Amino acid sequence: MRFAGQNALVTGGAGGVGAVLVAALRAEGARVAVTDRSCGHIEADAHFDGDLTDGAFCDALPGRAATALGGLDILCNNAGVITRGKITDTTDADYALTMAVNVEAPFRLSRAAIPLMAETGGAIVNTSSCWGLRPGPDHPLYVMSKAALASMTQCLGRDHAHQNIRVNAVCPNEVDTPMIRSGFAIRGLDADRAVEELNATVPLGRIAQPQDIVDVILFLASDAARYMCGALVEVNGGKPVI
């Protein structure tokens, strides 16, 4: 029960990693507020349906979660979108969505959460990506956004360590989620076969399952990571970005 008596807010709680994360936090004693566009079906202690592209929604969310739960100790900026394609194929709408969800929302949520954590300390865990550290091909918007989130993590980790607010990030490579499978479907590929082909590119023999990422998020949020600030933890099965 690493999180007994603690209160957590998880964004993207209805997604592949998010749903597993919410369940894992609650199983270890945390009270959890969850947000997504529609998250009422997720078992949690508070639900906030909303759009992370809405700045006012993001600004208010940590306070609303703290009121519902009785405080805020952990913020997991887990929500994200993947925009694929060369820069010449992307639109202004693609840019706006990617930056709003992957960069602006974590910025706003962190800005609002830090004052709530200032007296007692807390942990913020961002979900960046290996691709934000070493860019892969044909994903310029995704790469840019995850690189920005990684840099923000490092900055906040240093700036707020004196308040015992630890800010770190998990940086996955491919994860077997509905998001990645929908990307294959959009491109006309068989998702199961595409995942099998990806598995063969990973030294450990498979791409990550959501629990593989969640276990690292839980570590970073827990007291076991008490001396980590601004860390970017890669979870990639030994696979480099290629």
Side-chain angles (χ1 to χ4, degrees), residues 154-216:
Q154 292 175 312
C155 290
L156 297 185
R158 176 172 180 168
D159 289 348
H160 297 282
H162 71 283
Q163 296 170 292
N164 195 31
I165 300 172
R166 299 180 302 99
V167 186
N168 297 290
V170 62
C171 300
N173 208 321
E174 295 101 346
V175 185
D176 189 358
T177 63
M179 179 183 290
I180 196 170
R181 286 177 174 270
S182 68
F184 293 135
I186 289 170
R187 286 174 280 170
L189 303 173
D190 178 82
D192 289 337
R193 181 172 180 179
V195 168
E196 288 179 6
E197 291 175 354
L198 275 181
N199 288 340
T201 70
V202 182
L204 276 181
R206 62 175 178 84
I207 64 173
Q209 292 297 314
Q211 189 69 53
D212 298 318
I213 310 307
V214 166
D215 285 345
V216 178

Side-chain angles (χ1 to χ4, degrees), residues 27-51:
E28 294 211 36
R31 288 173 52 82
V32 181
V34 59
T35 187
D36 211 310
R37 286 173 292 183
S38 177
C39 58
H41 62 289
I42 301 295
E43 290 192 16
D45 300 284
H47 300 84
F48 298 99
D49 288 355
D51 185 350

Side-chain angles (χ1 to χ4, degrees), residues 74-96:
I74 299 166
L75 168 63
C76 297
N77 284 311
N78 168 73
V81 297
I82 300 177
T83 305
R84 302 171 177 86
K86 296 181 183 298
I87 194 169
T88 48
D89 297 326
T90 60
T91 66
D92 289 352
D94 293 331
Y95 177 90

